[in-house]
Amino acid sequence: MSLVTLDGSQRPYLPSASDTLFSAKAAKQLSFEQIAQHIGRNEVAAAAIFYGQAKASPEDIEKLASLLGIPHSKLEELLSGFPDRGRTVEMPPKEPLIYRLYEIVQNYGYAYKAVLNEKFGDGIMSAISFSTKVEKETDQDGNNWAVITLRGKWLPFSRF
Amino acid sequence: MSLVTLDGSQRPYLPSASDTLFSAKAAKQLSFEQIAQHIGRNEVAAAAIFYGQAKASPEDIEKLASLLGIPHSKLEELLSGFPDRGRTVEMPPKEPLIYRLYEIVQNYGYAYKAVLNEKFGDGIMSAISFSTKVEKETDQDGNNWAVITLRGKWLPFSRF
Amino acid sequence: MSLVTLDGSQRPYLPSASDTLFSAKAAKQLSFEQIAQHIGRNEVAAAAIFYGQAKASPEDIEKLASLLGIPHSKLEELLSGFPDRGRTVEMPPKEPLIYRLYEIVQNYGYAYKAVLNEKFGDGIMSAISFSTKVEKETDQDGNNWAVITLRGKWLPFSRF
Amino acid sequence: MSLVTLDGSQRPYLPSASDTLFSAKAAKQLSFEQIAQHIGRNEVAAAAIFYGQAKASPEDIEKLASLLGIPHSKLEELLSGFPDRGRTVEMPPKEPLIYRLYEIVQNYGYAYKAVLNEKFGDGIMSAISFSTKVEKETDQDGNNWAVITLRGKWLPFSRF
Amino acid sequence: MSLVTLDGSQRPYLPSASDTLFSAKAAKQLSFEQIAQHIGRNEVAAAAIFYGQAKASPEDIEKLASLLGIPHSKLEELLSGFPDRGRTVEMPPKEPLIYRLYEIVQNYGYAYKAVLNEKFGDGIMSAISFSTKVEKETDQDGNNWAVITLRGKWLPFSRF
Amino acid sequence: MSLVTLDGSQRPYLPSASDTLFSAKAAKQLSFEQIAQHIGRNEVAAAAIFYGQAKASPEDIEKLASLLGIPHSKLEELLSGFPDRGRTVEMPPKEPLIYRLYEIVQNYGYAYKAVLNEKFGDGIMSAISFSTKVEKETDQDGNNWAVITLRGKWLPFSRF
Amino acid sequence: MSLVTLDGSQRPYLPSASDTLFSAKAAKQLSFEQIAQHIGRNEVAAAAIFYGQAKASPEDIEKLASLLGIPHSKLEELLSGFPDRGRTVEMPPKEPLIYRLYEIVQNYGYAYKAVLNEKFGDGIMSAISFSTKVEKETDQDGNNWAVITLRGKWLPFSRF
Amino acid sequence: MSLVTLDGSQRPYLPSASDTLFSAKAAKQLSFEQIAQHIGRNEVAAAAIFYGQAKASPEDIEKLASLLGIPHSKLEELLSGFPDRGRTVEMPPKEPLIYRLYEIVQNYGYAYKAVLNEKFGDGIMSAISFSTKVEKETDQDGNNWAVITLRGKWLPFSRF
Amino acid sequence: MSLVTLDGSQRPYLPSASDTLFSAKAAKQLSFEQIAQHIGRNEVAAAAIFYGQAKASPEDIEKLASLLGIPHSKLEELLSGFPDRGRTVEMPPKEPLIYRLYEIVQNYGYAYKAVLNEKFGDGIMSAISFSTKVEKETDQDGNNWAVITLRGKWLPFSRF
Amino acid sequence: MSLVTLDGSQRPYLPSASDTLFSAKAAKQLSFEQIAQHIGRNEVAAAAIFYGQAKASPEDIEKLASLLGIPHSKLEELLSGFPDRGRTVEMPPKEPLIYRLYEIVQNYGYAYKAVLNEKFGDGIMSAISFSTKVEKETDQDGNNWAVITLRGKWLPFSRF
């Protein structure tokens, strides 16, 4: 089983913390599943911390420091600020796996809007009051299926 | 409860069938939920047919014609070709609801890739061998939550 | 005092309702201030309905129909769907007045983020649970000042 | 309460002064509110100086040097030139908080223009003879609201 | 001496008034110099009215109507709104004459900024409190030179 | 009076000479007005040399070397090549002062073309056989006005 | 031997005259070589008139009208204005033949600049005081070669 | 007579060989004309080698090494691979000299295509089986003219 | 078995001939395989004629006219010109099937170049002296595979 | 016979492994054909590993390490992660060889789609369950032809 590592060429798009975190992950040979379990968060959230896309709480920092063998004060300095989100992916994404997600938005965007509007009224699904998870299913023919769930609070447009 | 209609200014981005379908939907005052039930497909798929993003089978066409009161031969002519997908949404999306989905890809794209790669190996989640659905949940405080599920076959990169 | 009208060359970017609404507004010589007062909404919201950027409630439609002398059933048909927001302004905006607002975001974007993050934590100011208004002030030297207020709910990023 | 810090990956978009200023801010554990109070300017303006988007006066430099413990001559050299504004934010903004502000311009741009034109005539709200502030409100249900005020001089187009 | 006319292919970028104005100008065989003299404005401003880039005052409309033989009420309807500026030129400009002006900004932009900042301090030259003119000079060798003057109010950045 | 300096973050867009020239200018506390006077060129041309947008003649290099206290051979090596023009400004310009110039082209581009074509015939105003200057005017109310003059040779399109 | 015709889908990029000219050319079965000979201009210039990229003189209009059987007054009206150049080709060009020319600029742009600068000094080759021609050569193996010549006046940058 | 040199800010767009070649050229004070003569190639081709846009043959490398005083093995290592063409010029080109060439393609693209199609049939002029040269002409009034010749094999589209 | 039809919304990107050809194809219920067989060309070439991307010879036009029941003179008029290639696909392609081909170029572009350069030397594979075909294979598990073959003449860069 | 090398200016677009691999390839003077044979993969796949576009299996890593004389542990560290595909080619490609492939997609995209849809139904050719190869053919006249084969699994759109 291969683990995700960080290639140097990705660094300009990532915060300084990413390098420290991924190096330690590689040295300890830890998967995101193991890391997530240790800090009590979802795998996607754990990975998002590594890519600078989610904020680590003081407890997360403590647990990550101990699990990964990084001095606590160093990790705290690296992770105590606020994420500058959105920079990791160049849009439209060139990476085939990420492009497929983008393509789903491109193809089904208005279909989602139509169904959501009829179900909930005029508003949006929040991407902030939001959680997500990834699951693996194997069907009877042995094929694997990836299941991604997006769950966001419904925000109606205010009347003013 | 409002129903989704088609505004004339969206027509250049949509196939000719959209106009016929949405007009009939408005005249019959049908929701996508009702239409989906009638043709035995998911609501998102039903809406995707209306926006020219999914192919209707001969049976779908028959059922849509009868439900919507459109002459069968006319609907067959409009829907018998192959969808020219992807044109409905201008990217990056300007529509706030669709933008939120785009933003999820932008923010969590590499986190999804990392988790999927560690769970499945080198490959992608197909957007073709793929289904999706939208659900509504209401929490104990009365807040509504939208839940979108994406389910795609895992395709490993071929070795060659 | 001039009133805002709709030029034909803007139509491709606006819903069909805009033409009907602006024609009636011109015929009745009504300002957005008068229209807003009549329907009990803010001027910006009233104008946003005219540009297809806000949803009119059934009561709004009734009041607009009677004020503007548009048959109620016609206006209902035009306004009963869900707005397809975001299409009116080409970005970056070429219009000098709108560009100035864009420039404020461009210049002060990270300053706003820094101040908001320190005041509220990790999250965003909602543009959906949101209201805005425009006010006119005149200083002692007779200079006019425009004051735009943006008020949005603070949404903290969910922990997951 | 977390403080805003500067991540190394943002440096190419920021003037050299930013690094010095943010390092000192982190070392002294000062918020922008405290810094603003000390130099007698608005928080947003204080943050804008840190991001190279506003000019510091000689007095500002003096006060910042003493508050932050930076040698005066060094700070003077770094801040004595003229800001090269606009480089910090990539447009359209990928950062969710900043995107929301951009989206407000995108959605309400023409509504603002319509209301401003009817209130003030043909002209623009200046983004130069301009001030802005951020406030925090908490409603009776305990929800927080961010209020951003934009105040700019009205400039009528010259007749020539 | 040829006169400037309006080609049909430019219409999508211009307000409806342009067509009426240019047709009348062609029928009357009037130059912008003659039109400008008649309405007491600068030639560039006169042309800008024709391209929808400047607002005509009630007096301008009256004089244009009589000079061009357009019914006053028709011209009033076409010109009474507020210009939606900026749409006529696609940027970067493809038209060679306009490109040269763009190139001057591209090449000398920072040189202008440097000289203006040292002469006036931190601020901008307004493009709103602004006038411009075009003059023709012929040197002793018989070469023609175009002289364009840009005159804008200096706006210092507000301290806040 | 502040002087224009060069911030390190601008270097990738500028030739190597810029750094040497601006450092010496800062050390000697010289304005572009003083430098221009010394080398007998216009201020804008002097600044353009600093930004790599104009070629310095051997005499310019000699005078600059002596005025700025830079070894002549070093400056000669840095400035003896041909400028690679156009790289300093990212288009559309994000800098507010430079954007205003860009906006003038965007708004008045076709008006300039119309007036120039009627005055001179079919051709362009050269941006190469070209000079420019910046002047400061103060009106009776004490307001400052910036006046930029563009003077270019008229080039008629060749008949072939 | 096929003749070049105008397809309706190209019309939005071309002036109204193009349609008239190309229809007449097709009806009379004339090549650009024949047309050019008749009006005493180069073939490329003749074609450029058809695409709205060159100005026809009164004599050109007269000769074209008689050769093509178009009423003189109609052609005069269509061609008497000034070309709005540059709109026919979308850049980067998608048309393979035109792309090859673009690629030559892309690949050899700096090589041309280097050779021209060393031969002529600091300046440009004018594209206005400019002529061009296309020739056909056949080598001894029967291969055809296209030879395009570009001849432009050298314009040195003015010293100011 | 100035020689073309390489400014450090151009390096990211050029192969590593460029730096070595241009430094040696500057040290030896050689023009591209002299270099071209020495290696028996056209000046443009010689310059193209310096910018990484043409492949040097083993003989070219030998002659360049001896002429420029660069160790043969070093130059061989730098030049033995295959050019990664097209990166030197950012498109649309910002450099005025290169822009003029681009503008010729933009303005006359379809005219060239029309004339070539009528002369040669359906196909393209190759930019690969291709040569080019630059010549200087001086007319009787002492004006200099640059003449660029493009000569490419005609490739008809294959029938399949 | 469904046949490919032409939706009205695709027309702006296609020549006028496409509409006539696709209507007749639909009326006659012919596949591209049948059409290709009838005119003795490859299926891809046949489809390319329908999309205006390949030139039909006089014989092709005759055979298409008789097969599709289109008056010969009408088809001749529509198809006798030269294709204006490249407009049908917006790049990057939004259509999922076409995007996959684009992605192959994006992912394997440099790998193809490396292998081709080592096999053939410095040059390109022509897309003009070029043919292509599509084949269907079914493996022993009943899976279908699409096989696309691209065959182009190798063109070495000329030495000049 | 020249070998493909890696120029330093390409490094920002490539993973760190590329440098190590290409240096060793150059030192050992190995072609991709030889490397491919050694690891039992196709040449294109071998090159794709070098450009970070394909994943090397543990066996590939072992064989590459021994063939290229790179310490196994170093290569394992460099290649054990998952490729971040798509970054090597800037789109649209500026490199002429790669552009030709892009142009084939641009010109024949809809023709491929039409033929594939009629042959296989509604779906796509996978670029993941995919292999490709490059072959060299020489015709009787001694011309070389490059043949690229793309073979992908057909994926029908799921019905849901």
Side-chain angles (χ1 to χ4, degrees), chain I residues 9-10 72:
Chain I
S9 65
Q10 293 181 291
H72 180 260

Side-chain angles (χ1 to χ4, degrees), chain I residues 83-137:
Chain I
D84 181 25
R85 291 172 171 89
R87 283 209 176 144
T88 50
V89 186
E90 184 187 359
M91 300 296 266
K94 298 185 147 187
E95 225 293 324
L97 183 148
I98 302 175
Y99 184 82
R100 298 305 179 275
L101 301 175
Y102 174 92
E103 188 178 84
I104 290 165
V105 176
Q106 191 171 251
N107 285 6
Y108 298 104
Y110 274 101
Y112 284 131
K113 176 172 156 62
V115 171
L116 285 164
N117 279 165
E118 292 197 347
K119 270 189 159 32
F120 293 85
D122 189 33
I124 60 146
M125 181 185 90
S126 180
I128 311 295
S129 294
F130 168 81
S131 66
T132 184
K133 63 181 174 191
V134 167
E135 287 159 312
K136 183 178 187 170
E137 292 181 5

Side-chain angles (χ1 to χ4, degrees), chain E residues 1 4 25 32 43 53 91 107 112 118-119 132 136-137 144-146 148 150-154, chain F residues 1 4 25 32 43 53 102 107 112 118-119 132 136-137 144-146 148 150-154:
Chain E
M1 188 62 213
V4 170
K25 176 179 184 295
F32 280 119
E43 284 166 283
Q53 302 298 311
M91 300 294 268
N107 285 8
Y112 285 131
E118 293 197 346
K119 271 190 161 28
T132 184
K136 183 176 187 171
E137 292 181 4
N144 290 323
W145 293 79
I148 296 178
L150 315 172
R151 184 174 187 274
K153 199 175 192 173
W154 184 258
Chain F
M1 187 61 215
V4 170
K25 177 178 184 296
F32 280 119
E43 283 166 282
Q53 302 297 312
Y102 173 91
N107 286 6
Y112 284 132
E118 293 198 345
K119 270 190 161 31
T132 185
K136 183 179 188 169
E137 292 181 4
N144 289 323
W145 294 79
I148 297 178
L150 315 172
R151 185 177 187 274
K153 199 176 191 173
W154 184 258

Side-chain angles (χ1 to χ4, degrees), chain H:
Chain H
M1 187 62 217
S2 293
L3 294 179
V4 171
T5 58
L6 182 66
D7 187 83
S9 64
Q10 293 183 289
R11 268 178 223 155
Y13 305 92
L14 296 175
S16 335
S18 299
D19 201 24
T20 305
L21 289 166
F22 272 103
S23 298
K25 177 179 184 295
K28 298 273 177 182
Q29 286 289 298
L30 292 163
S31 69
F32 280 119
E33 196 181 350
Q34 293 169 312
I35 294 168
Q37 238 163 359
H38 187 83
I39 62 171
R41 295 190 69 167
N42 181 281
E43 284 165 280
V44 181
I49 290 173
F50 275 60
Y51 287 106
Q53 302 297 312
K55 187 155 172 47
S57 70
E59 295 72 36
D60 295 340
I61 296 175
E62 230 167 273
K63 286 180 183 160
L64 283 170
S66 89
L67 177 68
L68 295 163
I70 304 171
H72 180 261
S73 64
K74 184 181 174 193
L75 203 57
E76 198 173 35
E77 193 191 318
L78 284 169
L79 294 181
S80 69
F82 294 92
D84 180 25
R85 290 171 173 91
R87 284 213 176 139
T88 49
V89 186
E90 182 188 0
M91 300 295 265
K94 296 186 148 187
E95 225 292 324
L97 183 147
I98 302 174
Y99 184 82
R100 297 307 178 275
L101 301 175
Y102 173 92
E103 189 178 83
I104 290 166
V105 176
Q106 190 171 252
N107 286 5
Y108 298 104
Y110 274 100
Y112 285 132
K113 176 171 157 60
V115 170
L116 286 163
N117 279 166
E118 292 198 346
K119 270 189 159 32
F120 293 86
D122 189 32
I124 61 144
M125 181 185 90
S126 180
I128 310 296
S129 293
F130 168 82
S131 66
T132 184
K133 64 181 174 189
V134 167
E135 286 159 313
K136 184 179 186 168
E137 291 181 5
T138 307
D139 66 21
Q140 50 202 25
D141 300 331
N143 297 310
N144 289 324
W145 295 78
V147 182
I148 297 178
T149 310
L150 316 172
R151 184 176 186 273
K153 200 177 191 171
W154 184 259
L155 301 182
F157 277 93
S158 298
R159 181 181 169 87
F160 65 95

Side-chain angles (χ1 to χ4, degrees), chain A residues 56-66 72 75-76 79-80:
Chain A
S57 69
E59 296 71 35
D60 295 341
I61 295 175
E62 231 167 272
K63 287 181 183 159
L64 283 170
S66 89
H72 179 260
L75 203 57
E76 197 175 35
L79 294 180
S80 68

